[in-house]
């Protein structure tokens, strides 16, 4: 199991709330700025592989960036989607938190508990 990676944007309210929750629980994580250090193709493929709803789970369809585009995502291939997101990272929902096995998108306390409790239990087993 890898460490937690927290893909965020500092001025995003959900990102700030998620970060505050993680810190309040003393959970270690690696933070990666979504726009300055956009996940590469392999990272995005890994994130997509952890979704239950595919592209819809990580695509910010209500964002201004998405509304400016006149595209039908359902008609795009995965590679076309990945290229688009690499070019326009604001299309990603945020925050995205993953431990390499589970994924939490947005500020979701129940999801955060699930991903972090499992990490704490695993850490206690190997101590």
């Amino acid at each position: 199991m890898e460490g937690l990676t927290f893909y965020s944007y500092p001025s995003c309210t959900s990102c700030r709330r998620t970060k505050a929750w993680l810190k309040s629980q003393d959970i270690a994580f690696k933070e990666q700025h979504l726009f300055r250090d956009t996940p590469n193709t392999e990272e995005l493929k890994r994130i997509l592989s952890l979704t239950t709803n595919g592209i819809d789970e990580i695509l910010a369809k209500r964002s201004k960036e998405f509304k400016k585009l006149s595209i039908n995502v359902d008609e795009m291939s995965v590679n076309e989607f990945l290229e688009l997101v690499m070019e326009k990272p604001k299309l990603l929902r945020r925050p995205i938190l993953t431990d390499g096995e589970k994924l939490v998108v947005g500020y979701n306390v129940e999801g955060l508990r699930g991903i972090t409790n499992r990490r704490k239990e695993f850490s206690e087993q190997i101590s």
Side-chain angles (χ1 to χ4, degrees):
M1 179 183 302
E2 56 189 63
L4 289 175
T5 302
F6 177 56
Y7 298 96
S8 70
Y9 179 60
S11 67
C12 162
T13 302
S14 295
C15 296
R16 288 193 309 264
R17 289 175 71 193
T18 299
K19 187 175 184 175
W21 189 91
L22 290 168
K23 287 184 172 189
S24 75
Q25 302 297 308
D26 292 322
I27 304 294
F29 59 92
K30 178 188 123 198
E31 187 169 8
Q32 185 170 328
H33 193 291
L34 270 173
F35 305 154
R36 283 195 310 237
D37 190 14
T38 303
N40 63 36
T41 304
E42 290 307 310
E43 288 172 301
L44 288 170
K45 284 181 181 178
R46 180 71 178 149
I47 289 168
L48 267 175
S49 75
L50 297 173
T51 64
T52 53
N53 297 319
I55 290 171
D56 287 340
E57 196 167 329
I58 63 170
L59 181 63
K61 288 186 175 179
R62 295 186 297 179
S63 70
K64 290 178 188 177
E65 193 75 27
F66 182 78
K67 289 177 181 177
K68 284 190 234 176
L69 303 174
S70 55
I71 59 169
N72 183 346
V73 178
D74 296 330
E75 295 176 358
M76 298 179 84
S77 71
V78 172
N79 286 335
E80 289 171 329
F81 172 75
L82 294 174
E83 286 177 25
L84 179 64
V85 170
M86 295 286 294
E87 182 183 319
K88 299 178 182 297
K90 288 185 178 182
L91 292 174
L92 288 171
R93 287 187 59 207
R94 45 200 180 269
I96 298 172
L97 184 71
T98 182
D99 65 358
E101 295 176 19
K102 289 182 78 178
L103 181 73
V104 178
V105 180
Y107 178 67
N108 174 342
V109 174
E110 192 63 34
L112 292 171
R113 284 186 182 128
I115 200 170
T116 57
N117 285 343
R118 195 170 86 186
R119 289 189 54 74
K120 283 185 176 181
E121 290 168 5
F122 180 75
S123 297
E124 289 168 4
Q125 290 173 3
I126 60 173
S127 295

